[in-house]
Amino acid sequence: MSLYVHIKDKRYRGSNGYDHTVIGDVTFRAPDRQFTCIAGPSGCGKTTILNIIAGLEPCPQATIQFNDESIDKTNVAYVFQEPRLMPWLSVLDNITLVTDNTPQRREQAMTILRTIGLDDVSHEFPNRLSGGMQRRVALARAFITQPQMMLMDEPFVSLDPKLAQNIRKNLLDIWNKTPSNIVFITHDLNEALFLADRILFIGQKPAKILLDYSVTLPRPRKNIPYAEIEALKDTLLSQHPHLFKPIRRHVEP
Amino acid sequence: MPPQHASAPLTHNVFFLRTMTLSAMLATWLICAHWAQVEHLPTPAEVFAAIIDQTQSGELFYHVTITLLRVLVSFFLALFIGAAIGIAMGRNQRINAALDDMLIIFLNIPALVVIILCYIWFGLNEVAAITAVAINKIPLVVTIMREAARTIDQKLIDVAQVYRLSTAKKLTKVYLPQLYPSFMAASRSGLSLIWKIVLVVELLGRSNGVGFKLHSYFQLFDIASILAYTSVFVAIVLIIDVAIIRPTEKYANRWRLT
């Protein structure tokens, strides 16, 4: 199973009446069960790429295929920057919202909630939970559908570093149990190196792929020393200083 | 002043305030009728006697039931048609552009004109009566629901789209909960407005219902009976509010932080 993304270009009509090209040529193929990170500075068009893949952003100049078929026929899950939970549904109902509400599914949802340590708040409403807990619920909602394709848009941004790292480990745990293709957006190079099999570095507008980098760190990475990630990052940036100025955010693995 | 954290004392206070307001109203009425001897204002006891009298004859039950049925039918018609049009206008710019002027026209046609025209065009029958009431209320529901539909959170709609929720799920779990507060506002204002219009409709062209009876008692100058019918109907609307609308509202808003 593989993902094929070909975005020839994406333009927006500016307020001055002229078209602005936000994405140049972005083309890549991701093989089955690959964890792909798209990394680049803020505002370079990463979210637009993800929205085009998800079908939320119309783009006639794009071809998005999964197993050589239209992405419309694929079971896609999307974890947004904000949790985007329905405030009027309980945690459990938010998760089963995206699937059928059978007792088996509810049990499955509870199993995922146990994995991420939220089974005791399954009947609470989202506004009773902390930001970190809400993000974990959004993660559980994405995985309950057992997606073939998982899209994630900086889902751990603005969380405190320790909590973010815990949720990243949760993500890898669930991904191990429910393998799927993941396309993960980030502007944090440490995060990309910790999570991904491969990193696509995107340049400033119009966005295009500057470097297609394979991460050679062995899996499982849950207990990988922080220094190892730092060393890899330094090597990478010394070899490709033009890539992007990473935001210095220290991640304790 | 310290903020009120405990909900029990607050509930208690609300109940006390409500009771006090109603008691003050009743006391004012009593004072005006007994001591100030305002002309043509019967005492609460006289009105109560009229209620008993009308109940025993069975007339009150019959006419109130007829009016209540008209109110309910027009209420649901106006609410559903108005909500459907309002949501369509709020979500679709073309529909909004096509219907906007018509909405302003209907908002400004006096209720009396609609009622008279309906009776002339459809005859003095139930269809005309119900249509007249619904037409008067629909534009107000449209206005409220259009604004509500405009404020629907597109981010939550994106979630529904990405996860390919069924139309029924989209409607019940994503759209309607967002529209619910406005829907309740439209219901509340709708109920109070509709029953007032129903009385005018009955007064002008029906031979039963509270409006018809009020007209008869007006000709006889029987103020006690007029107030008897009014009090009973207001009490029924109050009971609907307390027994149906408020508990429904409380249940639907249980997720909000208090």
Side-chain angles (χ1 to χ4, degrees):
Chain A
M1 293 197 283
S2 68
L3 168 73
Y4 174 66
V5 174
H6 172 57
I7 303 169
K8 202 174 165 195
D9 72 55
K10 170 73 186 170
R11 293 165 193 214
Y12 284 113
R13 177 70 42 98
S15 51
N16 56 6
Y18 291 105
D19 283 353
H20 299 277
T21 306
V22 285
I23 297 174
D25 184 12
V26 171
T27 303
F28 65 93
R29 191 179 282 278
D32 186 24
R33 297 181 179 187
Q34 186 174 64
F35 199 126
T36 309
C37 267
I38 297 179
S42 292
C44 71
K46 303 186 296 289
T47 300
T48 308
I49 295 173
L50 212 60
N51 283 343
I52 291 172
I53 298 175
L56 293 177
E57 190 86 51
C59 183
Q61 310 293 329
T63 309
I64 313 293
Q65 289 181 327
F66 197 82
N67 288 342
D68 300 324
E69 283 191 328
S70 163
I71 191 97
D72 298 343
K73 293 174 184 166
T74 312
N75 187 7
V76 176
Y78 197 141
V79 183
F80 298 89
Q81 258 184 43
E82 326 81 46
R84 298 198 190 184
L85 302 172
M86 306 296 152
W88 42 85
L89 296 180
S90 71
V91 164
L92 189 61
D93 288 340
N94 258 293
I95 297 171
T96 53
L97 171 73
V98 298
T99 180
D100 49 282
N101 197 8
T102 57
Q104 291 86 344
R105 283 291 198 185
R106 291 180 85 79
E107 192 43 53
Q108 200 184 340
M110 285 305 294
T111 309
I112 299 178
L113 283 174
R114 265 190 290 276
T115 311
I116 55 175
L118 289 181
D119 49 321
D120 55 335
V121 293
S122 62
H123 290 95
E124 293 288 356
F125 289 108
N127 56 10
R128 265 79 164 178
L129 309 183
S130 68
M133 289 161 107
Q134 290 186 28
R135 280 167 202 249
R136 278 186 277 170
V137 176
L139 210 59
R141 178 178 66 186
F143 275 105
I144 188 82
T145 58
Q146 295 178 315
Q148 295 164 289
M149 184 72 239
M150 172 81 95
L151 306 171
M152 305 181 85
D153 183 10
E154 304 197 62
F156 313 130
V157 76
S158 76
L159 283 179
D160 85 82
K162 203 162 187 176
L163 178 64
Q165 187 61 6
N166 280 336
I167 307 182
R168 279 184 205 110
K169 287 176 183 175
N170 284 154
L171 166 64
L172 291 179
D173 278 342
I174 310 176
W175 182 52
N176 275 335
K177 290 175 191 161
T178 336
S180 53
N181 263 44
I182 296 185
V183 177
F184 188 106
I185 299 272
T186 183
H187 61 255
D188 181 345
L189 189 49
N190 289 48
E191 180 174 55
L193 290 167
F194 177 71
L195 292 172
D197 296 313
R198 171 195 193 187
I199 305 172
L200 301 173
F201 288 93
I202 303 288
Q204 282 289 8
K205 284 174 188 170
K208 59 180 181 181
I209 297 174
L210 298 178
L211 176 72
D212 186 347
Y213 178 80
S214 291
V215 182
T216 50
L217 291 171
R219 288 192 191 276
R221 293 183 191 159
K222 273 179 77 173
N223 298 315
I224 202 160
Y226 175 61
E228 205 170 324
I229 291 180
E230 275 290 307
L232 187 61
K233 185 176 81 179
D234 290 343
T235 313
L236 178 65
L237 288 176
S238 63
Q239 287 169 352
H240 307 277
H242 62 288
L243 282 180
F244 76 135
K245 298 254 183 236
I247 291 171
R248 288 275 169 190
R249 186 178 291 161
H250 292 287
V251 175
E252 295 291 346
Chain B
M1 200 175 138
Q4 284 181 315
H5 290 296
S7 62
L10 186 69
T11 315
H12 183 78
N13 277 347
V14 167
F15 179 75
F16 176 72
L17 286 171
R18 280 178 195 275
T19 318
M20 281 302 290
T21 318
L22 285 174
S23 306
M25 258 178 73
L26 206 65
T28 314
W29 178 7
L30 210 62
I31 290 165
C32 289
H34 269 294
W35 289 284
Q37 299 206 325
V38 175
E39 208 182 352
H40 305 308
L41 179 63
T43 62
E46 284 168 333
V47 173
F48 189 69
I51 293 174
I52 300 288
D53 189 40
Q54 294 284 337
T55 311
Q56 280 170 348
S57 72
E59 266 199 56
L60 186 125
F61 180 77
Y62 169 72
H63 291 289
V64 165
T65 309
I66 292 277
T67 300
L68 200 60
L69 280 174
R70 286 185 187 129
V71 167
L72 289 179
V73 173
S74 335
F75 172 74
F76 284 112
L77 262 180
L79 209 60
F80 286 111
I81 295 174
I85 298 172
I87 293 168
M89 286 175 80
R91 300 297 296 168
N92 188 309
Q93 285 186 351
R94 284 185 182 183
I95 296 178
N96 185 51
L99 299 181
D100 195 33
D101 290 336
M102 203 136 87
L103 177 63
I104 293 168
I105 291 170
F106 272 90
L107 273 171
N108 287 289
I109 296 178
L112 198 57
V113 174
V114 176
I115 296 166
I116 292 169
L117 289 178
C118 280
Y119 276 141
I120 292 171
W121 290 334
F122 304 125
L124 291 173
N125 53 45
E126 284 306 319
V127 176
I130 301 284
T131 309
V133 180
I135 288 177
N136 273 306
K137 179 59 193 166
I138 285 171
L140 293 168
V141 180
V142 170
T143 311
I144 296 174
M145 295 312 289
R146 177 174 66 172
E147 291 315 309
R150 280 176 177 165
T151 58
I152 277 183
D153 189 351
Q154 185 56 40
K155 289 180 174 177
L156 298 182
I157 305 299
D158 283 350
V159 173
Q161 194 186 328
V162 163
Y163 287 101
R164 300 193 188 113
L165 301 193
S166 64
T167 310
K169 250 188 183 176
K170 258 187 215 166
L171 198 69
T172 56
K173 308 278 185 186
V174 185
Y175 273 100
L176 289 183
Q178 296 190 63
L179 297 173
Y180 183 77
S182 303
F183 202 71
M184 287 314 289
S187 304
R188 269 225 168 109
S189 63
L191 197 61
S192 58
L193 181 78
I194 279 175
W195 98 263
K196 288 173 193 166
I197 301 173
V198 165
L199 294 202
V200 180
V201 167
E202 287 175 345
L203 185 142
L204 285 175
R206 303 308 300 138
S207 53
N208 50 22
V210 176
F212 165 75
K213 288 304 286 180
L214 292 183
H215 185 52
S216 313
Y217 290 126
F218 170 56
Q219 286 170 332
L220 298 170
F221 245 66
D222 184 349
I223 316 287
S225 295
I226 289 176
L227 287 176
Y229 272 92
T230 311
S231 332
V232 168
F233 212 85
V234 167
I236 290 172
V237 173
L238 207 65
I239 289 168
I240 292 175
D241 192 67
V242 171
I244 302 171
I245 297 183
R246 274 188 223 168
T248 317
E249 208 167 7
K250 200 174 169 188
Y251 177 78
N253 285 329
R254 69 198 187 288
W255 59 273
R256 289 183 200 276
L257 291 171
T258 48

